[in-house]
Amino acid sequence: MLFRSAANRLQILAKTIPTHRDAAAAHLLAAWNAAQDAAKNSTSDGRYQELLAEHLSLWPASESADQARLWLGKDREAAGNRPAAIAAYAGVSRASPQFGLAIAALSRAVRQDLAALASSGQPVSESAAGAIRMFRQAIVGPENRWPERWTEADRAATLAAAELIATYRPGNASDAEDMLRRALGASFDAPPEWRTAAQAQLVLALAAQGGRQEEALAELQAIRSASTDQMLAVLDGLSHVAPISNERTKTANAQLQAAAVAMLSGSRGELT
């Protein structure tokens, strides 16, 4: 009862003077207390979710709103409502300290949602296109400009978009190539693991574009430090490229697959 009582008092206080500079923070604390109360009970009465929705309705542009969106996304994802989770995560602004966490959560929820659609036999292409646009928008922001300095969140969004293109929209591979080259060119301080993953996606983006298999092979040979999982992802991506290829491209992509298998064989010790 302690947490529930605190939540009620803080909600009333915040809504009494909603324009006060601390009103939004007090209301967010009310939501936190409601979450603690729900965690102590085996059943939830929806109070926590109600407070988060109210917070976003009353203070949508406050500093605390993005934290509320992240909490709401996590709650909806845990409840199995991925579309609502995706909408909440996507609403977190670039300026928020929570932006990186939101992009990581958004990537996870989108992948799971599209995989669920595909496994149930439902159309995926248009949903994937919307998700790709969402990640691109997260990078360029409301001014529709590529960042001068790419953050970890920008790089994560780039990889997420490229992976979706490789899996569901290989016909848009040139868009993936553009994003990846921009990110790689402006990310000299990026962790080696990210650079390798981005280069692996670049292999797929090039392979999906007819007549560029030699470039793809050169990129593939440049990432000998790729992990087993990354090489398996390349092989899986090439399998998505194959159905849209002509006979000449299929032959070239088969050579790419053979090269990837050879590189994978060299690191097969990771599989044991």
Side-chain angles (χ1 to χ4, degrees), residues 89-116:
Y89 291 141
V92 176
S93 67
R94 279 187 61 85
S96 171
Q98 311 298 331
F99 185 62
L101 292 174
I103 289 296
L106 181 62
S107 177
R108 179 185 62 247
V110 164
R111 285 198 305 269
Q112 292 173 349
D113 193 49
L114 293 177

mmCIF file with all atom_site columns, all heavy atoms in Angstrom, residues 89-116:
data_model
loop_
_atom_site.group_PDB
_atom_site.id
_atom_site.type_symbol
_atom_site.label_atom_id
_atom_site.label_alt_id
_atom_site.label_comp_id
_atom_site.label_asym_id
_atom_site.label_entity_id
_atom_site.label_seq_id
_atom_site.pdbx_PDB_ins_code
_atom_site.Cartn_x
_atom_site.Cartn_y
_atom_site.Cartn_z
_atom_site.occupancy
_atom_site.B_iso_or_equiv
_atom_site.pdbx_formal_charge
_atom_site.auth_seq_id
_atom_site.auth_comp_id
_atom_site.auth_asym_id
_atom_site.auth_atom_id
_atom_site.pdbx_PDB_model_num
ATOM 1   N N   . TYR A 1 89  ? 8.632  3.141   -28.436 1.00 0.00 ? 89  TYR A N   1
ATOM 2   C CA  . TYR A 1 89  ? 10.081 3.283   -28.609 1.00 0.00 ? 89  TYR A CA  1
ATOM 3   C C   . TYR A 1 89  ? 10.412 4.302   -29.700 1.00 0.00 ? 89  TYR A C   1
ATOM 4   O O   . TYR A 1 89  ? 11.340 5.100   -29.570 1.00 0.00 ? 89  TYR A O   1
ATOM 5   C CB  . TYR A 1 89  ? 10.707 1.940   -28.989 1.00 0.00 ? 89  TYR A CB  1
ATOM 6   C CG  . TYR A 1 89  ? 10.700 0.891   -27.904 1.00 0.00 ? 89  TYR A CG  1
ATOM 7   C CD1 . TYR A 1 89  ? 10.447 -0.453  -28.210 1.00 0.00 ? 89  TYR A CD1 1
ATOM 8   C CD2 . TYR A 1 89  ? 10.954 1.215   -26.575 1.00 0.00 ? 89  TYR A CD2 1
ATOM 9   C CE1 . TYR A 1 89  ? 10.459 -1.428  -27.231 1.00 0.00 ? 89  TYR A CE1 1
ATOM 10  C CE2 . TYR A 1 89  ? 10.952 0.246   -25.581 1.00 0.00 ? 89  TYR A CE2 1
ATOM 11  C CZ  . TYR A 1 89  ? 10.706 -1.079  -25.917 1.00 0.00 ? 89  TYR A CZ  1
ATOM 12  O OH  . TYR A 1 89  ? 10.716 -2.046  -24.947 1.00 0.00 ? 89  TYR A OH  1
ATOM 13  N N   . ALA A 1 90  ? 9.642  4.261   -30.789 1.00 0.00 ? 90  ALA A N   1
ATOM 14  C CA  . ALA A 1 90  ? 9.907  5.163   -31.913 1.00 0.00 ? 90  ALA A CA  1
ATOM 15  C C   . ALA A 1 90  ? 9.663  6.622   -31.553 1.00 0.00 ? 90  ALA A C   1
ATOM 16  O O   . ALA A 1 90  ? 10.184 7.523   -32.218 1.00 0.00 ? 90  ALA A O   1
ATOM 17  C CB  . ALA A 1 90  ? 9.045  4.772   -33.112 1.00 0.00 ? 90  ALA A CB  1
ATOM 18  N N   . GLY A 1 91  ? 8.880  6.867   -30.497 1.00 0.00 ? 91  GLY A N   1
ATOM 19  C CA  . GLY A 1 91  ? 8.593  8.237   -30.106 1.00 0.00 ? 91  GLY A CA  1
ATOM 20  C C   . GLY A 1 91  ? 9.679  8.913   -29.296 1.00 0.00 ? 91  GLY A C   1
ATOM 21  O O   . GLY A 1 91  ? 9.635  10.125  -29.085 1.00 0.00 ? 91  GLY A O   1
ATOM 22  N N   . VAL A 1 92  ? 10.676 8.156   -28.848 1.00 0.00 ? 92  VAL A N   1
ATOM 23  C CA  . VAL A 1 92  ? 11.767 8.741   -28.058 1.00 0.00 ? 92  VAL A CA  1
ATOM 24  C C   . VAL A 1 92  ? 12.620 9.633   -28.955 1.00 0.00 ? 92  VAL A C   1
ATOM 25  O O   . VAL A 1 92  ? 13.057 9.214   -30.030 1.00 0.00 ? 92  VAL A O   1
ATOM 26  C CB  . VAL A 1 92  ? 12.629 7.643   -27.410 1.00 0.00 ? 92  VAL A CB  1
ATOM 27  C CG1 . VAL A 1 92  ? 13.815 8.256   -26.664 1.00 0.00 ? 92  VAL A CG1 1
ATOM 28  C CG2 . VAL A 1 92  ? 11.778 6.811   -26.460 1.00 0.00 ? 92  VAL A CG2 1
ATOM 29  N N   . SER A 1 93  ? 12.860 10.849  -28.534 1.00 0.00 ? 93  SER A N   1
ATOM 30  C CA  . SER A 1 93  ? 13.546 11.836  -29.379 1.00 0.00 ? 93  SER A CA  1
ATOM 31  C C   . SER A 1 93  ? 15.055 11.623  -29.400 1.00 0.00 ? 93  SER A C   1
ATOM 32  O O   . SER A 1 93  ? 15.639 11.060  -28.472 1.00 0.00 ? 93  SER A O   1
ATOM 33  C CB  . SER A 1 93  ? 13.243 13.251  -28.883 1.00 0.00 ? 93  SER A CB  1
ATOM 34  O OG  . SER A 1 93  ? 13.832 13.471  -27.616 1.00 0.00 ? 93  SER A OG  1
ATOM 35  N N   . ARG A 1 94  ? 15.674 12.107  -30.479 1.00 0.00 ? 94  ARG A N   1
ATOM 36  C CA  . ARG A 1 94  ? 17.130 12.007  -30.633 1.00 0.00 ? 94  ARG A CA  1
ATOM 37  C C   . ARG A 1 94  ? 17.865 12.714  -29.502 1.00 0.00 ? 94  ARG A C   1
ATOM 38  O O   . ARG A 1 94  ? 18.971 12.304  -29.124 1.00 0.00 ? 94  ARG A O   1
ATOM 39  C CB  . ARG A 1 94  ? 17.574 12.639  -31.961 1.00 0.00 ? 94  ARG A CB  1
ATOM 40  C CG  . ARG A 1 94  ? 17.425 11.775  -33.176 1.00 0.00 ? 94  ARG A CG  1
ATOM 41  C CD  . ARG A 1 94  ? 18.051 12.457  -34.389 1.00 0.00 ? 94  ARG A CD  1
ATOM 42  N NE  . ARG A 1 94  ? 19.469 12.699  -34.201 1.00 0.00 ? 94  ARG A NE  1
ATOM 43  C CZ  . ARG A 1 94  ? 20.425 11.815  -34.457 1.00 0.00 ? 94  ARG A CZ  1
ATOM 44  N NH1 . ARG A 1 94  ? 20.107 10.621  -34.896 1.00 0.00 ? 94  ARG A NH1 1
ATOM 45  N NH2 . ARG A 1 94  ? 21.690 12.126  -34.268 1.00 0.00 ? 94  ARG A NH2 1
ATOM 46  N N   . ALA A 1 95  ? 17.273 13.767  -28.959 1.00 0.00 ? 95  ALA A N   1
ATOM 47  C CA  . ALA A 1 95  ? 17.945 14.560  -27.925 1.00 0.00 ? 95  ALA A CA  1
ATOM 48  C C   . ALA A 1 95  ? 17.911 13.881  -26.555 1.00 0.00 ? 95  ALA A C   1
ATOM 49  O O   . ALA A 1 95  ? 18.607 14.311  -25.636 1.00 0.00 ? 95  ALA A O   1
ATOM 50  C CB  . ALA A 1 95  ? 17.307 15.938  -27.832 1.00 0.00 ? 95  ALA A CB  1
ATOM 51  N N   . SER A 1 96  ? 17.132 12.836  -26.430 1.00 0.00 ? 96  SER A N   1
ATOM 52  C CA  . SER A 1 96  ? 16.961 12.202  -25.130 1.00 0.00 ? 96  SER A CA  1
ATOM 53  C C   . SER A 1 96  ? 18.158 11.339  -24.745 1.00 0.00 ? 96  SER A C   1
ATOM 54  O O   . SER A 1 96  ? 18.729 10.644  -25.589 1.00 0.00 ? 96  SER A O   1
ATOM 55  C CB  . SER A 1 96  ? 15.709 11.321  -25.151 1.00 0.00 ? 96  SER A CB  1
ATOM 56  O OG  . SER A 1 96  ? 15.629 10.527  -23.984 1.00 0.00 ? 96  SER A OG  1
ATOM 57  N N   . PRO A 1 97  ? 18.527 11.340  -23.462 1.00 0.00 ? 97  PRO A N   1
ATOM 58  C CA  . PRO A 1 97  ? 19.562 10.415  -22.987 1.00 0.00 ? 97  PRO A CA  1
ATOM 59  C C   . PRO A 1 97  ? 19.133 8.953   -23.160 1.00 0.00 ? 97  PRO A C   1
ATOM 60  O O   . PRO A 1 97  ? 19.969 8.048   -23.118 1.00 0.00 ? 97  PRO A O   1
ATOM 61  C CB  . PRO A 1 97  ? 19.691 10.767  -21.496 1.00 0.00 ? 97  PRO A CB  1
ATOM 62  C CG  . PRO A 1 97  ? 19.151 12.147  -21.367 1.00 0.00 ? 97  PRO A CG  1
ATOM 63  C CD  . PRO A 1 97  ? 18.063 12.239  -22.386 1.00 0.00 ? 97  PRO A CD  1
ATOM 64  N N   . GLN A 1 98  ? 17.826 8.732   -23.359 1.00 0.00 ? 98  GLN A N   1
ATOM 65  C CA  . GLN A 1 98  ? 17.294 7.379   -23.522 1.00 0.00 ? 98  GLN A CA  1
ATOM 66  C C   . GLN A 1 98  ? 17.292 6.921   -24.975 1.00 0.00 ? 98  GLN A C   1
ATOM 67  O O   . GLN A 1 98  ? 16.864 5.794   -25.266 1.00 0.00 ? 98  GLN A O   1
ATOM 68  C CB  . GLN A 1 98  ? 15.847 7.332   -22.989 1.00 0.00 ? 98  GLN A CB  1
ATOM 69  C CG  . GLN A 1 98  ? 15.642 7.936   -21.623 1.00 0.00 ? 98  GLN A CG  1
ATOM 70  C CD  . GLN A 1 98  ? 16.431 7.207   -20.549 1.00 0.00 ? 98  GLN A CD  1
ATOM 71  O OE1 . GLN A 1 98  ? 16.686 6.017   -20.654 1.00 0.00 ? 98  GLN A OE1 1
ATOM 72  N NE2 . GLN A 1 98  ? 16.839 7.932   -19.521 1.00 0.00 ? 98  GLN A NE2 1
ATOM 73  N N   . PHE A 1 99  ? 17.779 7.755   -25.894 1.00 0.00 ? 99  PHE A N   1
ATOM 74  C CA  . PHE A 1 99  ? 17.656 7.450   -27.327 1.00 0.00 ? 99  PHE A CA  1
ATOM 75  C C   . PHE A 1 99  ? 18.362 6.152   -27.709 1.00 0.00 ? 99  PHE A C   1
ATOM 76  O O   . PHE A 1 99  ? 17.824 5.328   -28.451 1.00 0.00 ? 99  PHE A O   1
ATOM 77  C CB  . PHE A 1 99  ? 18.204 8.621   -28.149 1.00 0.00 ? 99  PHE A CB  1
ATOM 78  C CG  . PHE A 1 99  ? 18.015 8.458   -29.641 1.00 0.00 ? 99  PHE A CG  1
ATOM 79  C CD1 . PHE A 1 99  ? 16.748 8.379   -30.186 1.00 0.00 ? 99  PHE A CD1 1
ATOM 80  C CD2 . PHE A 1 99  ? 19.114 8.401   -30.490 1.00 0.00 ? 99  PHE A CD2 1
ATOM 81  C CE1 . PHE A 1 99  ? 16.565 8.243   -31.559 1.00 0.00 ? 99  PHE A CE1 1
ATOM 82  C CE2 . PHE A 1 99  ? 18.947 8.260   -31.854 1.00 0.00 ? 99  PHE A CE2 1
ATOM 83  C CZ  . PHE A 1 99  ? 17.674 8.188   -32.394 1.00 0.00 ? 99  PHE A CZ  1
ATOM 84  N N   . GLY A 1 100 ? 19.565 5.949   -27.198 1.00 0.00 ? 100 GLY A N   1
ATOM 85  C CA  . GLY A 1 100 ? 20.305 4.732   -27.524 1.00 0.00 ? 100 GLY A CA  1
ATOM 86  C C   . GLY A 1 100 ? 19.580 3.483   -27.059 1.00 0.00 ? 100 GLY A C   1
ATOM 87  O O   . GLY A 1 100 ? 19.487 2.482   -27.799 1.00 0.00 ? 100 GLY A O   1
ATOM 88  N N   . LEU A 1 101 ? 19.054 3.516   -25.841 1.00 0.00 ? 101 LEU A N   1
ATOM 89  C CA  . LEU A 1 101 ? 18.292 2.380   -25.318 1.00 0.00 ? 101 LEU A CA  1
ATOM 90  C C   . LEU A 1 101 ? 17.038 2.147   -26.152 1.00 0.00 ? 101 LEU A C   1
ATOM 91  O O   . LEU A 1 101 ? 16.652 0.998   -26.410 1.00 0.00 ? 101 LEU A O   1
ATOM 92  C CB  . LEU A 1 101 ? 17.905 2.632   -23.860 1.00 0.00 ? 101 LEU A CB  1
ATOM 93  C CG  . LEU A 1 101 ? 19.052 2.660   -22.841 1.00 0.00 ? 101 LEU A CG  1
ATOM 94  C CD1 . LEU A 1 101 ? 18.516 3.078   -21.471 1.00 0.00 ? 101 LEU A CD1 1
ATOM 95  C CD2 . LEU A 1 101 ? 19.722 1.294   -22.751 1.00 0.00 ? 101 LEU A CD2 1
ATOM 96  N N   . ALA A 1 102 ? 16.406 3.246   -26.575 1.00 0.00 ? 102 ALA A N   1
ATOM 97  C CA  . ALA A 1 102 ? 15.184 3.124   -27.365 1.00 0.00 ? 102 ALA A CA  1
ATOM 98  C C   . ALA A 1 102 ? 15.461 2.488   -28.717 1.00 0.00 ? 102 ALA A C   1
ATOM 99  O O   . ALA A 1 102 ? 14.687 1.646   -29.190 1.00 0.00 ? 102 ALA A O   1
ATOM 100 C CB  . ALA A 1 102 ? 14.542 4.499   -27.550 1.00 0.00 ? 102 ALA A CB  1
ATOM 101 N N   . ILE A 1 103 ? 16.570 2.861   -29.364 1.00 0.00 ? 103 ILE A N   1
ATOM 102 C CA  . ILE A 1 103 ? 16.907 2.287   -30.677 1.00 0.00 ? 103 ILE A CA  1
ATOM 103 C C   . ILE A 1 103 ? 17.185 0.796   -30.538 1.00 0.00 ? 103 ILE A C   1
ATOM 104 O O   . ILE A 1 103 ? 16.740 -0.020  -31.362 1.00 0.00 ? 103 ILE A O   1
ATOM 105 C CB  . ILE A 1 103 ? 18.114 3.013   -31.293 1.00 0.00 ? 103 ILE A CB  1
ATOM 106 C CG1 . ILE A 1 103 ? 17.708 4.425   -31.740 1.00 0.00 ? 103 ILE A CG1 1
ATOM 107 C CG2 . ILE A 1 103 ? 18.674 2.228   -32.477 1.00 0.00 ? 103 ILE A CG2 1
ATOM 108 C CD1 . ILE A 1 103 ? 16.683 4.466   -32.855 1.00 0.00 ? 103 ILE A CD1 1
ATOM 109 N N   . ALA A 1 104 ? 17.914 0.406   -29.505 1.00 0.00 ? 104 ALA A N   1
ATOM 110 C CA  . ALA A 1 104 ? 18.206 -1.012  -29.287 1.00 0.00 ? 104 ALA A CA  1
ATOM 111 C C   . ALA A 1 104 ? 16.913 -1.795  -29.065 1.00 0.00 ? 104 ALA A C   1
ATOM 112 O O   . ALA A 1 104 ? 16.718 -2.889  -29.624 1.00 0.00 ? 104 ALA A O   1
ATOM 113 C CB  . ALA A 1 104 ? 19.141 -1.181  -28.093 1.00 0.00 ? 104 ALA A CB  1
ATOM 114 N N   . ALA A 1 105 ? 16.015 -1.245  -28.250 1.00 0.00 ? 105 ALA A N   1
ATOM 115 C CA  . ALA A 1 105 ? 14.746 -1.909  -27.976 1.00 0.00 ? 105 ALA A CA  1
ATOM 116 C C   . ALA A 1 105 ? 13.866 -1.930  -29.219 1.00 0.00 ? 105 ALA A C   1
ATOM 117 O O   . ALA A 1 105 ? 13.185 -2.931  -29.502 1.00 0.00 ? 105 ALA A O   1
ATOM 118 C CB  . ALA A 1 105 ? 14.022 -1.199  -26.834 1.00 0.00 ? 105 ALA A CB  1
ATOM 119 N N   . LEU A 1 106 ? 13.884 -0.841  -29.977 1.00 0.00 ? 106 LEU A N   1
ATOM 120 C CA  . LEU A 1 106 ? 13.094 -0.757  -31.206 1.00 0.00 ? 106 LEU A CA  1
ATOM 121 C C   . LEU A 1 106 ? 13.554 -1.804  -32.215 1.00 0.00 ? 106 LEU A C   1
ATOM 122 O O   . LEU A 1 106 ? 12.736 -2.486  -32.840 1.00 0.00 ? 106 LEU A O   1
ATOM 123 C CB  . LEU A 1 106 ? 13.226 0.648   -31.795 1.00 0.00 ? 106 LEU A CB  1
ATOM 124 C CG  . LEU A 1 106 ? 12.449 0.951   -33.078 1.00 0.00 ? 106 LEU A CG  1
ATOM 125 C CD1 . LEU A 1 106 ? 10.950 0.817   -32.839 1.00 0.00 ? 106 LEU A CD1 1
ATOM 126 C CD2 . LEU A 1 106 ? 12.781 2.362   -33.573 1.00 0.00 ? 106 LEU A CD2 1
ATOM 127 N N   . SER A 1 107 ? 14.856 -1.948  -32.357 1.00 0.00 ? 107 SER A N   1
ATOM 128 C CA  . SER A 1 107 ? 15.407 -2.944  -33.283 1.00 0.00 ? 107 SER A CA  1
ATOM 129 C C   . SER A 1 107 ? 14.953 -4.349  -32.900 1.00 0.00 ? 107 SER A C   1
ATOM 130 O O   . SER A 1 107 ? 14.532 -5.137  -33.753 1.00 0.00 ? 107 SER A O   1
ATOM 131 C CB  . SER A 1 107 ? 16.937 -2.849  -33.279 1.00 0.00 ? 107 SER A CB  1
ATOM 132 O OG  . SER A 1 107 ? 17.494 -3.837  -34.118 1.00 0.00 ? 107 SER A OG  1
ATOM 133 N N   . ARG A 1 108 ? 15.033 -4.650  -31.630 1.00 0.00 ? 108 ARG A N   1
ATOM 134 C CA  . ARG A 1 108 ? 14.618 -5.982  -31.151 1.00 0.00 ? 108 ARG A CA  1
ATOM 135 C C   . ARG A 1 108 ? 13.134 -6.218  -31.414 1.00 0.00 ? 108 ARG A C   1
ATOM 136 O O   . ARG A 1 108 ? 12.737 -7.276  -31.933 1.00 0.00 ? 108 ARG A O   1
ATOM 137 C CB  . ARG A 1 108 ? 14.908 -6.088  -29.663 1.00 0.00 ? 108 ARG A CB  1
ATOM 138 C CG  . ARG A 1 108 ? 14.497 -7.414  -29.038 1.00 0.00 ? 108 ARG A CG  1
ATOM 139 C CD  . ARG A 1 108 ? 14.711 -7.412  -27.536 1.00 0.00 ? 108 ARG A CD  1
ATOM 140 N NE  . ARG A 1 108 ? 13.916 -6.411  -26.846 1.00 0.00 ? 108 ARG A NE  1
ATOM 141 C CZ  . ARG A 1 108 ? 14.418 -5.348  -26.211 1.00 0.00 ? 108 ARG A CZ  1
ATOM 142 N NH1 . ARG A 1 108 ? 15.717 -5.148  -26.151 1.00 0.00 ? 108 ARG A NH1 1
ATOM 143 N NH2 . ARG A 1 108 ? 13.611 -4.470  -25.610 1.00 0.00 ? 108 ARG A NH2 1
ATOM 144 N N   . ALA A 1 109 ? 12.294 -5.249  -31.056 1.00 0.00 ? 109 ALA A N   1
ATOM 145 C CA  . ALA A 1 109 ? 10.846 -5.418  -31.201 1.00 0.00 ? 109 ALA A CA  1
ATOM 146 C C   . ALA A 1 109 ? 10.439 -5.532  -32.671 1.00 0.00 ? 109 ALA A C   1
ATOM 147 O O   . ALA A 1 109 ? 9.560  -6.331  -33.021 1.00 0.00 ? 109 ALA A O   1
ATOM 148 C CB  . ALA A 1 109 ? 10.122 -4.251  -30.535 1.00 0.00 ? 109 ALA A CB  1
ATOM 149 N N   . VAL A 1 110 ? 11.072 -4.739  -33.525 1.00 0.00 ? 110 VAL A N   1
ATOM 150 C CA  . VAL A 1 110 ? 10.749 -4.786  -34.958 1.00 0.00 ? 110 VAL A CA  1
ATOM 151 C C   . VAL A 1 110 ? 11.131 -6.136  -35.552 1.00 0.00 ? 110 VAL A C   1
ATOM 152 O O   . VAL A 1 110 ? 10.351 -6.743  -36.304 1.00 0.00 ? 110 VAL A O   1
ATOM 153 C CB  . VAL A 1 110 ? 11.462 -3.640  -35.709 1.00 0.00 ? 110 VAL A CB  1
ATOM 154 C CG1 . VAL A 1 110 ? 11.458 -3.890  -37.214 1.00 0.00 ? 110 VAL A CG1 1
ATOM 155 C CG2 . VAL A 1 110 ? 10.788 -2.310  -35.399 1.00 0.00 ? 110 VAL A CG2 1
ATOM 156 N N   . ARG A 1 111 ? 12.323 -6.619  -35.231 1.00 0.00 ? 111 ARG A N   1
ATOM 157 C CA  . ARG A 1 111 ? 12.749 -7.932  -35.758 1.00 0.00 ? 111 ARG A CA  1
ATOM 158 C C   . ARG A 1 111 ? 11.779 -9.024  -35.330 1.00 0.00 ? 111 ARG A C   1
ATOM 159 O O   . ARG A 1 111 ? 11.383 -9.876  -36.137 1.00 0.00 ? 111 ARG A O   1
ATOM 160 C CB  . ARG A 1 111 ? 14.157 -8.271  -35.271 1.00 0.00 ? 111 ARG A CB  1
ATOM 161 C CG  . ARG A 1 111 ? 15.259 -7.516  -35.967 1.00 0.00 ? 111 ARG A CG  1
ATOM 162 C CD  . ARG A 1 111 ? 16.609 -8.211  -35.766 1.00 0.00 ? 111 ARG A CD  1
ATOM 163 N NE  . ARG A 1 111 ? 16.910 -8.409  -34.359 1.00 0.00 ? 111 ARG A NE  1
ATOM 164 C CZ  . ARG A 1 111 ? 17.574 -7.550  -33.608 1.00 0.00 ? 111 ARG A CZ  1
ATOM 165 N NH1 . ARG A 1 111 ? 18.001 -6.418  -34.130 1.00 0.00 ? 111 ARG A NH1 1
ATOM 166 N NH2 . ARG A 1 111 ? 17.824 -7.808  -32.317 1.00 0.00 ? 111 ARG A NH2 1
ATOM 167 N N   . GLN A 1 112 ? 11.382 -9.008  -34.068 1.00 0.00 ? 112 GLN A N   1
ATOM 168 C CA  . GLN A 1 112 ? 10.461 -10.029 -33.566 1.00 0.00 ? 112 GLN A CA  1
ATOM 169 C C   . GLN A 1 112 ? 9.094  -9.907  -34.227 1.00 0.00 ? 112 GLN A C   1
ATOM 170 O O   . GLN A 1 112 ? 8.463  -10.923 -34.560 1.00 0.00 ? 112 GLN A O   1
ATOM 171 C CB  . GLN A 1 112 ? 10.335 -9.905  -32.047 1.00 0.00 ? 112 GLN A CB  1
ATOM 172 C CG  . GLN A 1 112 ? 11.607 -10.277 -31.296 1.00 0.00 ? 112 GLN A CG  1
ATOM 173 C CD  . GLN A 1 112 ? 11.504 -9.993  -29.800 1.00 0.00 ? 112 GLN A CD  1
ATOM 174 O OE1 . GLN A 1 112 ? 10.563 -9.341  -29.343 1.00 0.00 ? 112 GLN A OE1 1
ATOM 175 N NE2 . GLN A 1 112 ? 12.464 -10.488 -29.040 1.00 0.00 ? 112 GLN A NE2 1
ATOM 176 N N   . ASP A 1 113 ? 8.631  -8.687  -34.431 1.00 0.00 ? 113 ASP A N   1
ATOM 177 C CA  . ASP A 1 113 ? 7.322  -8.472  -35.022 1.00 0.00 ? 113 ASP A CA  1
ATOM 178 C C   . ASP A 1 113 ? 7.295  -8.949  -36.474 1.00 0.00 ? 113 ASP A C   1
ATOM 179 O O   . ASP A 1 113 ? 6.358  -9.650  -36.891 1.00 0.00 ? 113 ASP A O   1
ATOM 180 C CB  . ASP A 1 113 ? 6.958  -6.989  -34.952 1.00 0.00 ? 113 ASP A CB  1
ATOM 181 C CG  . ASP A 1 113 ? 5.491  -6.731  -35.262 1.00 0.00 ? 113 ASP A CG  1
ATOM 182 O OD1 . ASP A 1 113 ? 4.632  -7.412  -34.676 1.00 0.00 ? 113 ASP A OD1 1
ATOM 183 O OD2 . ASP A 1 113 ? 5.201  -5.862  -36.100 1.00 0.00 ? 113 ASP A OD2 1
ATOM 184 N N   . LEU A 1 114 ? 8.321  -8.604  -37.242 1.00 0.00 ? 114 LEU A N   1
ATOM 185 C CA  . LEU A 1 114 ? 8.366  -9.022  -38.644 1.00 0.00 ? 114 LEU A CA  1
ATOM 186 C C   . LEU A 1 114 ? 8.542  -10.531 -38.763 1.00 0.00 ? 114 LEU A C   1
ATOM 187 O O   . LEU A 1 114 ? 7.943  -11.167 -39.639 1.00 0.00 ? 114 LEU A O   1
ATOM 188 C CB  . LEU A 1 114 ? 9.498  -8.290  -39.372 1.00 0.00 ? 114 LEU A CB  1
ATOM 189 C CG  . LEU A 1 114 ? 9.308  -6.778  -39.536 1.00 0.00 ? 114 LEU A CG  1
ATOM 190 C CD1 . LEU A 1 114 ? 10.538 -6.156  -40.201 1.00 0.00 ? 114 LEU A CD1 1
ATOM 191 C CD2 . LEU A 1 114 ? 8.057  -6.467  -40.352 1.00 0.00 ? 114 LEU A CD2 1
ATOM 192 N N   . ALA A 1 115 ? 9.350  -11.107 -37.890 1.00 0.00 ? 115 ALA A N   1
ATOM 193 C CA  . ALA A 1 115 ? 9.535  -12.558 -37.910 1.00 0.00 ? 115 ALA A CA  1
ATOM 194 C C   . ALA A 1 115 ? 8.223  -13.271 -37.608 1.00 0.00 ? 115 ALA A C   1
ATOM 195 O O   . ALA A 1 115 ? 7.903  -14.307 -38.215 1.00 0.00 ? 115 ALA A O   1
ATOM 196 C CB  . ALA A 1 115 ? 10.608 -12.970 -36.910 1.00 0.00 ? 115 ALA A CB  1
ATOM 197 N N   . ALA A 1 116 ? 7.440  -12.720 -36.667 1.00 0.00 ? 116 ALA A N   1
ATOM 198 C CA  . ALA A 1 116 ? 6.149  -13.320 -36.329 1.00 0.00 ? 116 ALA A CA  1
ATOM 199 C C   . ALA A 1 116 ? 5.186  -13.231 -37.509 1.00 0.00 ? 116 ALA A C   1
ATOM 200 O O   . ALA A 1 116 ? 4.452  -14.185 -37.795 1.00 0.00 ? 116 ALA A O   1
ATOM 201 C CB  . ALA A 1 116 ? 5.557  -12.626 -35.108 1.00 0.00 ? 116 ALA A CB  1
#
